[in-house]
Amino acid sequence: MALPLEGIKIIDFTGVQAGPACTQLLAWFGADVLKVERPGVGDVTRQQLRDIPDLDALYFTMLNSNKRSLTLNTKTPEGKRILENLIRDADVLVENFAPGALDRMGFTWERIHEINPKLIFGSVKGFSEGSPYADIKAYENVAQCAGGAASTTGFWDGPPTISGAALGDSNTGMHLAIGILTALIGRQKTGQGQKVAVSMQDAVLNLCRVKLRDQERLEHVGYLEEYPQYPNGKFSDTVPRGGNAGGGGQPGWVLKCKGWETDPNAYIYFTVQEQNWGPTCDAIGHPEWKKDPAYTTARARQSHIFDIFAEIEKKLADKTKFEAIEYLRKFGVPCAPVLSMKEIAYDPALRASGTIVEVVQEERGKYLTVGSPIKFSAFKPDITGAPLLGEHTDQVLATLGYSGDQIAKLYQDKVV
Ligand code: CAO
């Protein structure tokens, strides 16, 4: 069947992770994504963290599958003309250059809109227009710090901590994809393109919504009853780091299982679900806590929640994390094993669902990547390899009407 985004032409003027993650998603769903890269260099991630000499790094292949690649020096007059022609014929252009870089090339939003008023222009920056930091270049951790994730992650007696999840990069790309699809639907009504801008700071903050909720609650009542600091510790005037606390209405913690002394991931996450307190007491071998006023409400439990967790750990001490989950699921406890990346890579269920996929990459051979986390009933995205640098340059130029000789001249002049 035709994929939903088939026929949508996207100029992918992106690099590193935030922009490429957005356009890769759209490519999986059928868009024709043409990556425009600097001749001889390409996206910097082609060369970053290489595991095989001279081959495109996994950093690149895992963020640029299902795309085509055109090399083009957009600082040359002929390169600019080619880009203008591409813009005239495209539906979307996505970029995540350093602040001002596209303007310096001569492609301001106003100019792009003039060339093609129907085109949707997607842009990622570290900070929004008007921010006092708007001129700063940004990578993942810059955004995690500025978006509220770092100050609220980690333990209260340690420094702000960065998450392993790409909250600043891929998350921003996902936000931009939503914006672009929204603008495409909007265009069906108005016939007009628009600029869609997402800052990495804002995208991180959007995922830290509950922490802003906590800031406001703190200002109203002076404490946060689901944090480990309650009721025995002190609160300041800002949301503290809560370690592995649940963060919602349900307290939870990371608990040790059999083998934790040697295996850094022999843990589970255990949630004390309010409405499941009775079965939880049975599961942890303390049925008497069901009626004990020191245990019957979340508030009563909180002052000795770590003693409760210690009791649960005793109960789980002879179980591996997988055995613990098998046991606890029967009692309706919301829980999961702490899975290592190795366990995830070889997880048969994640492979069967297409969330972990094996892709064949030209020159490299097989590698693993994360497939579409979004599942559709009418189609399953087929994840293919990433393009080699400039693999489709000749093809694209021919489509634009360049003859063989003209293409050879463009190579000679280092335009492509
Ligand atoms: N032809 C000619 N020149 C090109 C080109 C092409 N095809 N593609 C890029 N360039 C030029 C740019 O115009 C720019 O030139 P000037 O500095 O002279 O204007 C230069 O290459 C470098 O631009 P850049 O933005 O790609 O690279 P950078 O190293 O200065 O910064 C980054 C990288 C990621 C910090 C910055 O792009 C940024 O802050 N982007 C916005 C936020 C973002 O997306 N961050 C990445 C998240 S993933 O970790």
Side-chain angles (χ1 to χ4, degrees):
M1 66 164 282
L3 292 170
L5 298 186
E6 241 171 72
I8 301 290
K9 292 183 190 166
I10 300 183
I11 301 170
D12 180 9
F13 216 5
T14 72
V16 202
Q17 186 175 162
C22 165
T23 48
Q24 175 174 258
L25 192 84
L26 301 174
W28 289 345
F29 303 159
D32 173 17
V33 176
L34 179 64
K35 193 156 173 104
V36 178
E37 302 182 77
R38 259 180 295 179
V41 184
D43 188 324
V44 289
T45 59
R46 285 188 185 268
Q47 292 162 52
Q48 280 179 345
L49 314 175
R50 275 187 174 154
D51 57 323
I52 302 177
D54 303 327
L55 288 195
D56 286 331
L58 289 168
Y59 198 6
F60 178 82
T61 61
M62 291 177 76
L63 286 156
N64 292 283
S65 59
N66 297 54
K67 302 181 183 178
R68 297 188 294 148
S69 167
L70 162 76
T71 49
L72 189 66
N73 184 343
T74 51
K75 284 185 173 166
T76 61
E78 191 59 23
K80 286 183 205 295
R81 257 193 298 281
I82 292 171
L83 184 61
E84 278 188 24
N85 282 336
L86 290 171
I87 290 173
R88 236 168 242 122
D89 190 40
D91 298 285
V92 180
L93 184 148
V94 186
E95 68 91 22
N96 68 324
F97 289 119
L102 202 59
D103 294 359
R104 286 193 290 278
M105 249 183 242
F107 291 94
T108 60
W109 157 235
E110 290 73 23
R111 175 74 188 121
I112 290 170
H113 193 52
E114 186 183 71
I115 299 169
N116 180 356
K118 286 186 171 173
L119 184 118
I120 287 144
F121 174 59
S123 176
V124 168
K125 295 287 165 269
F127 301 90
S128 289
E129 273 172 37
S131 159
Y133 304 128
D135 60 318
I136 293 181
K137 294 184 190 180
Y139 286 106
E140 175 66 53
N141 297 343
V142 170
Q144 288 202 26
C145 288
S151 70
T152 53
T153 302
F155 283 80
W156 45 90
D157 53 357
T161 304
I162 298 301
S163 165
L167 307 176
D169 286 342
S170 280
N171 169 46
T172 305
M174 299 304 103
H175 277 79
L176 185 63
I178 294 167
I180 288 170
L181 294 172
T182 304
L184 279 168
I185 292 172
R187 189 179 73 171
Q188 287 170 4
K189 295 176 182 148
T190 64
Q192 285 293 305
Q194 59 179 305
K195 177 174 173 179
V196 183
V198 183
S199 83
M200 294 165 70
Q201 179 186 35
D202 293 0
V204 172
L205 178 56
N206 191 29
L207 298 195
C208 292
R209 184 172 293 265
V210 296
K211 298 299 177 182
L212 185 60
R213 171 203 68 190
D214 293 347
Q215 182 62 35
E216 292 183 86
R217 290 169 60 221
L218 189 62
E219 285 171 17
H220 290 151
V221 295
Y223 60 85
L224 298 165
E225 69 245 35
E226 75 282 22
Y227 280 62
Q229 289 82 349
Y230 180 86
N232 306 320
K234 280 210 167 75
F235 285 90
S236 72
D237 61 355
T238 191
V239 176
R241 289 186 272 287
N244 289 318
Q250 315 289 351
W253 204 252
V254 168
L255 301 182
K256 290 172 191 154
C257 292
K258 188 176 160 187
W260 67 271
E261 299 89 340
T262 52
D263 175 356
N265 295 308
Y267 292 82
I268 63 162
Y269 198 86
F270 188 106
T271 314
V272 181
Q273 192 193 19
E274 187 59 20
Q275 59 271 42
N276 199 48
W277 178 241
T280 301
C281 292
D282 291 333
I284 63 183
H286 283 285
E288 74 282 6
W289 287 355
K290 286 188 227 177
K291 298 227 165 88
D292 184 337
Y295 292 88
T296 44
T297 64
R299 182 159 287 217
R301 289 192 292 271
Q302 190 63 21
S303 60
H304 51 114
I305 193 79
F306 284 103
D307 296 335
I308 296 174
F309 288 141
E311 279 300 304
I312 304 172
E313 280 185 337
K314 273 192 219 161
K315 182 76 187 168
L316 302 179
D318 64 343
K319 295 177 177 54
T320 66
K321 61 185 175 185
F322 297 110
E323 288 165 351
I325 298 307
E326 276 316 301
Y327 172 73
L328 293 170
R329 71 196 305 174
K330 297 185 188 117
F331 295 89
V333 174
C335 56
V338 172
L339 294 178
S340 69
M341 265 302 145
K342 186 173 179 185
E343 286 161 341
I344 285 174
Y346 295 99
D347 185 311
L350 289 173
R351 298 247 184 153
S353 68
T355 300
I356 297 278
V357 286
E358 217 169 63
V359 176
V360 179
Q361 174 70 23
E362 210 172 315
E363 297 185 348
R364 168 182 284 277
K366 280 186 193 159
Y367 73 96
L368 283 188
T369 192
V370 183
S372 175
I374 306 169
K375 312 298 180 194
F376 299 89
S377 64
F379 75 103
K380 187 169 179 178
D382 181 22
I383 317 296
T384 60
L388 301 176
L389 179 61
E391 187 179 336
H392 305 91
T393 301
D394 292 6
Q395 180 196 79
V396 173
L397 293 173
T399 316
L400 292 175
Y402 285 84
S403 68
D405 286 350
Q406 287 170 322
I407 293 173
K409 176 94 174 42
L410 290 173
Y411 278 109
Q412 205 183 340
D413 295 345
K414 300 197 174 355
V415 174
V416 298

